[in-house]
Structures are given as C-alpha cells and as structure tokens.
Amino acid sequence: MDLRHVLFTLALICANDSLSASDDILQWPQISKCRSPEMETFSCFWTAGNFYNLTVPRILQLLYKKSNEEDWKECPDYITSGQNSCYFNASYTSVWTPYCVQLASKNEVYDKKCFSVDEIVLPDPPVHLNWTLLNTSQTGIHGDIQVRWDPPPTADVRKGWITLEYELQYKEVNETKWKELKPRLSTMVPLYSLKTARDYEIRIRSRQRTSEKFGEFSEILYVSFSQIGIGCDHCMEEVEFPWFLVVVFGVCGLAVTVISIMLSKQPRLKMLIFPPVPVPKIKGIDPDLLKKGKLDEVNSILACHDSYKAQLYCDDLWVEFIELDIEDPEEKNRASDTDRLLSEDDLKSHSCLGTKDDDSGRASCCEPDIPETDFSASDTCDATSDSDQFKKATEKEEDLLCLERQDNDESLPNLANTDPQHQCRNTQSENNNVWAPFEDSIESPHLSVHTQISNQNSLTSTDFYAQVSDITPAGRVVLSPGQKSKLGRAQREGCTEQNFTMDNTYFCEADVKKCIAVTTHEENEPHVQEQGYNEDGYFTAESLTTTVANLGAPTAAVPSSEMPVADYTSIHIVQSPQGLVLNATALPVPDKEFNVSCGYVSTDQLNKIMP
Amino acid sequence: HSLKSLLLVALLVSHMLLTKEGVTSLPICPNGSVNCQLSLEELFDRAVKLSHYIHFLSSEMFNEFDERYAQGRGFIAKAVNSCHTASLTTPEDKEQAQQIHHEDLLNLILGVLRSWNDPLIHLASEVQRIKEAPETILWKAVEIEEQNKRLLEGMEKIVGRVHSGEVENDIYTPWDGLPSLQLADEDSRLFAFYNLLHCLRRDSHKIDNYLKVLKCRLIHDNNC
C-alpha cells in the first residue's frame, strides 16, 4: 500500500510537471457547490478532477458532520441529484445547524466546506410563464402586456416557509442585451410600451428574499403580437424624436431672444427680464443728501447712524417701552412735559418716521419712543416711585419749561437759577436757564428733587437722561434720574419750538436716561461742555452699555447731594473693552457767541471747543 | 327619485356583500386614538416587516464585517460555532415548525429576542471601539438594537392577544460573551465579533422565518 501510495504520488507529480504547461491542468477533486432549493433539502456537487482516470480509480466520498457531532458520516444519497453529487433529504437537513462536508477518498481529504443550510438557498426557477395584452396605443405601434408566472413548485411559499423575490428580464428577439426589472415579490408584472412590430423574449429568476444570489433562469417566454393579430406590419418605423435638432434650435432661439432684449431700447422689457441689481445702500442715508444737504441734516444723519448703540438701546428698550405702555397708560396720559411737547409739536411729524425726507437716518431710529424708553431706563434706577409725588413734580416741571417759566419753583431751583451755557436758536431766554451747570443746583432740595425726579423717571414720562449713580459689585449699573433731564426737557421744548426738521431727541439726550456717574470726585466743577451735545449722543448710549469705572467710592443713591454732578463727562480712560472711565473734566467754556444749534455742533464749532 | 334611492341601496348592499372578506381587516389606528386596537393581522404584518428588516441589516452587517476584517484571517474555517441561543430548542426544519404549537413557538421567539437584547446593546457599544470601524457598521449595530426592542414589544403584544392561558416568561439564555468582545488581542477580539455577527444573522433569519410561518398559519390559514 505504501509503495502504491508513493508511486501514485510520484505519478501525480510527474503528471503535474508535464501537464502544467499544457491546457490540460490537473485538477483536484473539488466541491463545486452545495445548494438548497427550498430550505428543506440540500445537495452538494463536486468535480472529480482530472486524475480520476490516470492511475487508480479513486472512489470519492463525501463525508459530512453536523457541528455538534464528532464523527464524519457518509453521504446518504449519491444518486438523486445526479453524478458527483450527494443529496440530503429532509430528515437529514437541519436548517440553521452548521454543517461541514468533505470530499475524501479513503485517507485523503481533497476538499472541505462548512456552511449552514439557510446560507445556501438557491430557489428553482419560476414556472408557467404567460402573458396577456393590456392595451395598445392609438397608432397601434406600442402595446402593454402583463406577464404572470407561478412560484417554483418546490418552494413552499404558501405556508410561508420561504419568501421569494423575482427578477424579470426581457429583450427584443434580435437584441443581445437583456433589460432588467427591479426584483419584486409579486408574481405578475406589467411591461409597457413594447413595440408591436417586434417580438420579445422574457425570462424570470427567483431568489430568497434576503439573499443576494439568484437561482437559475426560467424558460424563455416568447411574446409576439402578430400571433394575436395586433402586429402592425405596415406601420412606419417610428421616427426617433430629433432631440439634437430641438436642442440646437432651442439654444439659438434663446440666444437671439436674449441678445435682442439686451440691445433693445425698451427699458421696461429690460427691467422685466434683467432686473437691476440693487446697489449697496446704507439704510437711512441718502447719498444725495450727503452730497448737497444742509449741514444740520447731515449732522443729524451722521449722528443718528453713528449712535448705532443708541439704536441697539432703542431696540432693547423697545420692549420695555411696550411694557411701560401697558402698565402705565394713565400716567402717560398725564400732561407730562414730554407729552406736551410731543403733542404740541406733533413730534411724530418731526420724528424719524415723520420726516419729510424719508431717506434721513432718523427713520431707522425709534425716535419718538426714545423719551419713553428713557423712563424704562429709569426703572433700573434706585428711585422709589411715588406716583403722586411724581404728578406734582411733573406739573411743576412743566411750568419750568421754556414755555412757561416759573423760576420760583422750589422743587427745581436749578433750572431757574442756572445760567445758560448754551442757547437754543430760539431766543427765548428761559432756555438759557436750561443748561446751567449742575453744581449750582446741587443743594439740599436736591434730595427731594432727586426723589421727585426719580419718581418722575419711574413713571416713565418725562426724563430723558439718567445718571449712573452707582455700580453694584455685581457689575450692574444703578441709574438715578439726572438733573439734566430738566435741562434736556427744557432744551428740547425750546428746541421743538424751532422749526427743526430733525428730531430733537437726538441731540438733546440721545434718548438715554443717564445718571451721570460721579466717577471722579476730584472735579467739582462740572461745566456744561459744548461738545456735550454731540458727545452726549454718543456718550449716553455707551455709558449705558459700559460699566463705568467708579474711581471713587461708589456713591450713594443720591450722589448729587454730596457732590456736584457733572452734566457731561469726558472719557478719561478707556479700559477696553468693557470700561470707560468718565472724567468730569472742565472743558473750555464755549464762547458766548457760540450758538449751539439746538442739537448738533458743527465741526467748526467743535474744533473751536476742543483743545 | 325612488329609482335613484333603490339603486343606491342596491349599490351599498352589493358593496357590502362583495367586500365581506374585508370586514375582518380592521382599519389602521390613527395616531393618538386611545381605544383603537390593532388587529392581529396588522400586528403580525408589522412584526414580519421588523423581523425582515432586522435580518436584512444583520446580513449586510455580517457581509461588511466579513469583507473588511475577516479576509485572510481564516475565520471561516472556525465558524462552526455555537451561539449562545443554541440551548433553546427551536424547530430546525419545516416539519418541526409545522408541528409545534403556535403558543410555544411564540414563546420561543420571545425567548430568542430577549436573549439578544443584552448582546445587541453591547455590540452597539463595543463595535465602536474597533479600529477604523466603518460608519455603516456602526450605524447598523445601533439600528438593529433599536429595532429589536421594538420587535420585542410587538411580540409581547401579540403574545398577549394570542395566549389563552398563562404566559411563560422564563425562556431566556444569558450571554456571557462581553469579555471576548473586549479582548486585548485584536485577532481574538475580531473573531469574537465575527462569531457574534454570524450568530445574529442566523438567529434573525430564524425569527423572520418563524414569524412568517405563524402569520401564514394564523392569519391566512396556510394560504399565503
């Protein structure tokens, strides 16, 4: 036996060497595939290889083993599936159990495969293909058919043991390439727009639904329309749609149209087809106005736009404004100074929204609301509000306005006593009293004044400014009503008497109620500063949004009672990015002849003032 | 006038008679309805859809994993493995599936689903630690875990409807393969994943098949 074995091996090697170069390649016996058509039985097929005939006839065996078994068993049925096959019937098949099969002969194992039956399912092809005509086109050139078939008989689809998918392929008889349809579960499918003059071939194959591999194709089904008398032999060959010509002519026509539109003199048509691209434009700024507008208007526009923070502030306080509106409708109705001013002058018409020049910057700012928004700012002040007191205060203050000067009002002596630093264009002398420096006014009644003013402020109808009186350790800014409010108001009123087209609120206080922080206690001489108008506009917004560095000890809620409060402060140090140290420095007193337009300072005037 | 009404009545009656088969199928529950109950057919439809989807995902995931990690490592030869659910005696061929009582089969399905709850959770989390795991595999692991939960809920509903007696809840095998998924040696770890995914594909196929058999048996009277 050993000798035979050795001889056999030698022969094999020689044969291998001699035959390797030739076409006849020696092949080992191999298991070609194992397949289960219906998941109830399975068969394995192998190829015997070339050397079967060479020396000693080998008897190949197929041995199998289930995963939980130890011994290899021999194939139960070599015949049913044909030559070189092994058939395992239902009793030998366990679907989800791993099997291993090996092709061996006596001592030698040629091939081995491991699998489980659910992985090797390849269904038989469908049977009983047939087709029926659905309809034909009007011209009779095209027709639709419905193809039907039955599932393979071996697959038990009715009991749900196996679920099959079908793929249909069809082509014209003299074509070479098959057209495929998507796999589907149903056993019928329509085919549309088949040419009645041609004959078609159809074939179908199936697979288990979650597998990738298809089984064999079914027999080919021939479709011939002429058999049922519909064939259109005398029909013209359908002309293919001349896509190329259509595209070319379409492009040419379009080009001609476009060119003609562009060259045409008709502006309307041009606008319709080619709408003009909007040029960049800053909202609220009219370039024409900048070119040829009056200085005042230009200043107003610029100021309005530069104080974008004021605008933000506007937006923030817009909400508060609304709240206040709801809360205190009555108090608003009180004849406060602001209201009077507003109603008298029809401030709305002077406001941004009401300017004749629609393009001015004012339109974008919430002008008329600014006075009210100031009051909301005042809510943040520590002022305790007393509505009655406020009422009195407002009424009294009204008297103090430019219109009716009542210098004897005790509550607001400062207004009466102060000397004007600025003059409105309006020559009313009472206006001159408005911009008195604060220090004159700061006396004992200030306390009451303050409270009154704060009451006023809290009732949100009159004051325009608020001072930053304190900064809490948490960083919050405590606002208290400012003396300037009266000034502002008077100023405003005086200014409103003039025919200003710009909104007074801009220049007068930039709508921020600011309690000017007594940041530097060094300076006890706050002077009204000329550029305060403009600065104020910029200032107040900024001061509200920045935490003012308090150099001194945080003053009490009523700082003015202790030290003079500056009307305006200049920026001493900018502690970027969050801090501004305000310095109530004495700036040069403007010339008497300096007539500040109630509102903005012209650049010339500004240059005179600034050191 | 009378002729018209007679015609209408005739139409209605004929419609009712013709669609008598459809009476058994209840309408699908609209969203938010409290008292609506899905019919058993609807429940089975949804369960079969879910089980098919889960098997589809498992199959794809296994194929991707095989392509990406298993080639050249000789995993296939070793894949004659035993899954942790092998201790549950489930029908292995059509005959057994036909003979088993539907309540027992439902319980078995529930048992297999419950036994896979834990492994799927860990699979979803551990597969992320595989080096350069493709996004598709990660996503599928998470999706399978979610859908398995939903299928479990659906099956419990079905069992509640179908069961006449007490509900057996003790069919369950624990899974202790977590340490193998966390091995330091990459080859061993990948092999553990390979086995787990192989088992998942097999068991999801089982569940899918059993549910289809049950559906055809209970709903369509063996005439799918």
Side-chain angles (χ1 to χ4, degrees):
Chain A
M1 278 305 274
D2 284 341
L3 190 62
R4 266 194 180 178
H5 201 74
V6 168
L7 277 174
F8 168 68
T9 321
L10 278 172
L12 213 61
I13 293 168
C14 292
N16 210 354
D17 285 343
S18 63
L19 292 174
S20 57
S22 67
D23 290 337
D24 271 328
I25 299 174
L26 191 67
Q27 284 177 332
W28 288 91
Q30 269 183 330
I31 299 174
S32 53
K33 69 171 178 182
C34 289
R35 173 184 169 243
S36 168
E38 76 289 76
M39 224 160 53
E40 297 169 43
T41 67
F42 73 101
S43 312
C44 281
F45 304 89
W46 65 86
T47 55
N50 291 25
F51 64 94
Y52 196 97
N53 300 328
L54 283 174
T55 51
V56 179
R58 297 288 158 191
I59 299 178
L60 291 170
Q61 288 177 315
L62 190 84
L63 305 172
Y64 76 96
K65 180 168 80 116
K66 282 192 189 176
S67 65
N68 46 6
E69 290 166 1
E70 293 294 331
D71 303 325
W72 291 92
K73 296 183 197 151
E74 192 159 0
C75 166
D77 186 341
Y78 283 103
I79 303 167
T80 310
S81 297
Q83 213 184 27
N84 294 338
S85 73
C86 179
Y87 174 73
F88 296 83
N89 62 18
S91 57
Y92 287 95
T93 311
S94 305
V95 177
W96 291 283
T97 312
Y99 280 82
C100 278
V101 293
Q102 64 181 19
L103 191 67
S105 70
K106 303 229 171 131
N107 297 327
E108 204 154 342
V109 175
Y110 300 115
D111 199 2
K112 185 180 173 189
K113 254 195 179 156
C114 292
F115 55 86
S116 58
V117 177
D118 53 296
E119 296 164 4
I120 56 168
V121 176
L122 275 178
D124 289 332
V127 294
H128 304 151
L129 276 74
N130 59 14
W131 67 278
T132 51
L133 183 72
L134 285 176
N135 51 29
T136 55
S137 63
Q138 275 185 342
T139 52
I141 299 179
H142 296 281
D144 307 331
I145 63 171
Q146 175 104 315
V147 185
R148 272 203 178 88
W149 62 90
D150 285 338
T154 50
D156 193 351
V157 189
R158 290 182 66 174
K159 294 207 186 88
W161 182 243
I162 190 169
T163 314
L164 293 176
E165 252 181 0
Y166 305 97
E167 183 194 62
L168 186 141
Q169 295 183 357
Y170 70 101
K171 70 174 177 69
E172 286 179 30
V173 174
N174 46 11
E175 274 179 358
T176 50
K177 204 163 173 226
W178 289 89
K179 288 182 202 152
E180 292 176 9
L181 294 185
K182 231 174 29 171
R184 60 195 64 219
L185 291 172
S186 58
T187 56
M188 65 172 82
V189 73
L191 284 178
Y192 297 114
S193 269
L194 299 182
K195 294 178 198 134
T196 50
R198 311 280 175 85
D199 289 346
Y200 287 85
E201 292 175 344
I202 297 175
R203 62 181 186 177
I204 307 174
R205 59 183 178 170
S206 63
R207 69 173 174 191
Q208 197 191 25
R209 202 167 156 214
T210 44
S211 304
E212 288 176 357
K213 290 185 191 155
F214 280 99
E216 292 297 318
F217 278 106
S218 64
E219 291 178 0
I220 292 181
L221 175 73
Y222 285 97
V223 177
S224 172
F225 290 95
S226 54
Q227 281 176 6
I228 51 175
I230 296 201
C232 186
D233 295 328
H234 58 277
C235 292
M236 289 187 306
E237 274 297 319
E238 83 172 18
V239 181
E240 281 201 4
F241 197 73
W243 288 109
F244 177 67
L245 286 174
V246 165
V247 166
V248 167
F249 278 113
V251 167
C252 287
L254 198 66
V256 165
T257 318
V258 166
I259 289 169
S260 64
I261 288 173
M262 279 177 26
L263 291 177
S264 76
K265 306 284 183 177
Q266 281 270 6
R268 272 195 197 169
L269 191 62
K270 243 182 164 179
M271 289 258 295
L272 192 69
I273 310 279
F274 301 109
V277 176
V279 294
K281 183 181 176 184
I282 300 174
K283 187 179 171 191
I285 284 189
D286 180 16
D288 292 336
L289 185 64
L290 282 176
K291 284 178 201 166
K292 57 185 180 193
K294 295 183 198 170
L295 187 62
D296 298 333
E297 293 164 357
V298 172
N299 279 338
S300 72
I301 292 168
L302 290 176
C304 178
H305 270 280
D306 281 343
S307 61
Y308 66 93
K309 278 190 178 172
Q311 196 172 357
L312 287 176
Y313 178 64
C314 275
D315 292 338
D316 290 337
L317 294 180
W318 177 250
V319 178
E320 295 181 2
F321 162 63
I322 293 175
E323 291 173 1
L324 293 167
D325 226 2
I326 296 170
E327 287 168 7
D328 307 323
E330 298 169 10
E331 283 159 5
K332 269 194 70 178
N333 290 339
R334 288 180 199 152
S336 63
D337 313 325
T338 312
D339 290 345
R340 270 213 308 172
L341 283 171
L342 292 176
S343 58
E344 277 178 357
D345 296 333
D346 192 14
L347 190 62
K348 297 277 190 278
S349 67
H350 285 290
S351 68
C352 286
L353 306 172
T355 50
K356 297 161 196 169
D357 187 358
D358 293 334
D359 234 359
S360 74
R362 300 176 287 267
S364 58
C365 296
C366 43
E367 278 357 276
D369 308 323
I370 289 165
E372 279 87 276
T373 59
D374 290 341
F375 314 133
S376 61
S378 74
D379 282 342
T380 64
C381 294
D382 279 347
T384 57
S385 63
D386 184 351
S387 54
D388 295 335
Q389 216 171 352
F390 172 55
K391 234 180 192 168
K392 288 181 208 163
T394 48
E395 285 164 11
K396 284 182 185 167
E397 279 187 7
E398 290 162 19
D399 298 337
L400 287 174
L401 291 175
C402 297
L403 298 178
E404 312 168 53
R405 35 204 296 232
Q406 293 184 10
D407 300 341
N408 301 327
D409 190 31
E410 294 171 354
S411 61
L412 302 165
N414 51 336
L415 282 181
N417 297 332
T418 55
D419 291 325
Q421 288 273 1
H422 306 278
Q423 294 179 0
C424 298
R425 235 182 247 160
N426 196 343
T427 52
Q428 287 191 10
S429 56
E430 50 265 25
N431 292 334
N432 297 338
N433 296 332
V434 167
W435 297 108
F438 251 70
E439 74 271 22
D440 297 337
S441 61
I442 300 167
E443 292 310 323
S444 54
H446 273 287
L447 212 69
S448 58
V449 167
H450 256 289
T451 51
Q452 283 177 3
I453 292 171
S454 61
N455 297 341
Q456 252 177 326
N457 300 341
S458 66
L459 284 173
T460 78
S461 56
T462 54
D463 281 327
F464 287 35
Y465 297 96
Q467 297 180 14
V468 175
S469 59
D470 192 13
I471 299 173
T472 64
R476 296 187 64 192
V477 167
V478 174
L479 298 175
S480 60
Q483 297 272 342
K484 226 196 305 186
S485 55
K486 297 177 286 276
L487 304 177
R489 198 177 312 108
Q491 173 76 357
R492 190 167 53 91
E493 189 195 3
C495 299
T496 54
E497 289 176 4
Q498 307 160 25
N499 269 337
F500 280 132
T501 55
M502 59 182 154
D503 188 16
N504 298 327
T505 54
Y506 273 115
F507 67 86
C508 284
E509 71 297 314
D511 54 271
V512 174
K513 190 186 261 212
K514 178 177 76 167
C515 311
I516 295 182
V518 186
T519 55
T520 57
H521 41 274
E522 323 157 6
E523 303 297 332
N524 289 335
E525 294 181 59
H527 292 270
V528 176
Q529 287 150 7
E530 210 42 64
Q531 65 273 26
Y533 285 112
N534 283 344
E535 276 183 57
D536 219 22
Y538 304 99
F539 240 28
T540 53
E542 285 183 356
S543 62
L544 207 66
T545 57
T546 60
T547 60
V548 178
N550 210 343
L551 293 184
T555 54
V558 197
S560 56
S561 59
E562 293 169 357
M563 28 181 141
V565 178
D567 280 333
Y568 304 96
T569 56
S570 62
I571 299 174
H572 178 63
I573 301 167
V574 177
Q575 294 174 348
S576 64
Q578 286 100 11
L580 284 180
V581 174
L582 297 179
N583 189 6
T585 50
L587 289 181
V589 178
D591 298 335
K592 295 248 164 141
E593 36 196 59
F594 176 66
N595 281 332
V596 177
S597 61
C598 216
Y600 296 94
V601 178
S602 68
T603 46
D604 296 337
Q605 293 168 339
L606 198 64
N607 288 336
K608 279 188 219 163
I609 298 160
M610 294 299 290
Chain B
H1 181 73
S2 60
L3 191 64
K4 276 185 192 171
S5 55
L6 198 65
L7 196 63
L8 194 63
V9 169
L11 273 173
L12 279 173
V13 169
S14 63
H15 176 76
M16 273 167 50
L17 290 174
L18 285 172
T19 59
K20 196 177 176 188
E21 288 178 10
V23 172
T24 52
S25 65
L26 296 172
I28 298 172
C29 291
N31 280 342
S33 53
V34 177
N35 292 327
C36 176
Q37 244 197 347
L38 287 171
S39 67
L40 198 62
E41 179 181 355
E42 255 295 304
L43 286 174
F44 262 107
D45 267 346
R46 295 182 183 194
V48 166
K49 278 199 182 100
L50 271 177
S51 68
H52 175 79
Y53 183 50
I54 291 172
H55 174 57
F56 172 73
L57 287 176
S58 315
S59 212
E60 296 240 308
M61 194 159 116
F62 175 77
N63 288 340
E64 285 173 25
F65 188 88
D66 188 29
E67 250 180 61
R68 178 97 167 71
Y69 296 105
Q71 300 301 331
R73 285 178 208 256
F75 284 169
I76 302 172
K78 299 186 217 161
V80 187
N81 53 1
S82 66
C83 303
H84 71 288
T85 48
S87 56
L88 302 172
T89 47
T90 50
E92 286 292 308
D93 59 29
K94 196 175 83 163
E95 291 300 319
Q96 293 178 14
Q98 293 293 120
Q99 283 163 14
I100 191 173
H101 195 255
H102 66 269
E103 289 186 11
D104 297 330
L105 189 56
L106 281 169
N107 280 332
L108 273 174
I109 294 172
L110 266 181
V112 174
L113 288 173
R114 282 198 203 110
S115 305
W116 272 101
N117 221 356
D118 209 31
L120 284 174
I121 294 173
H122 290 293
L123 178 71
S125 63
E126 293 300 322
V127 81
Q128 294 180 17
R129 302 219 185 105
I130 298 179
K131 202 170 46 171
E132 295 173 2
E135 181 61 36
T136 49
I137 291 184
L138 297 175
W139 163 80
K140 284 189 176 86
V142 174
E143 184 76 0
I144 291 173
E145 195 244 318
E146 275 180 34
Q147 301 302 331
N148 194 59
K149 280 207 192 91
R150 289 179 60 196
L151 182 58
L152 197 54
E153 286 172 19
M155 287 313 301
E156 278 167 359
K157 276 208 183 99
I158 291 177
V159 167
R161 290 274 194 96
V162 165
H163 255 300
S164 49
E166 348 161 309
V167 180
E168 271 182 42
N169 268 339
D170 50 359
I171 299 182
Y172 171 78
T173 37
W175 178 67
D176 55 359
L178 182 57
S180 63
L181 292 184
Q182 295 168 328
L183 290 172
D185 175 36
E186 197 190 349
D187 268 3
S188 314
R189 194 156 47 95
L190 288 176
F191 182 60
F193 273 105
Y194 184 87
N195 278 344
L196 189 66
L197 292 175
H198 196 256
C199 285
L200 178 63
R201 184 178 74 163
R202 174 182 305 166
D203 280 351
S204 60
H205 189 246
K206 257 195 210 177
I207 303 282
D208 189 35
N209 241 71
Y210 294 160
L211 277 174
K212 282 171 182 161
V213 167
L214 276 177
K215 180 176 167 217
C216 285
R217 196 204 292 186
L218 297 177
I219 308 290
H220 301 282
D221 202 20
N222 276 336
N223 196 10
C224 272

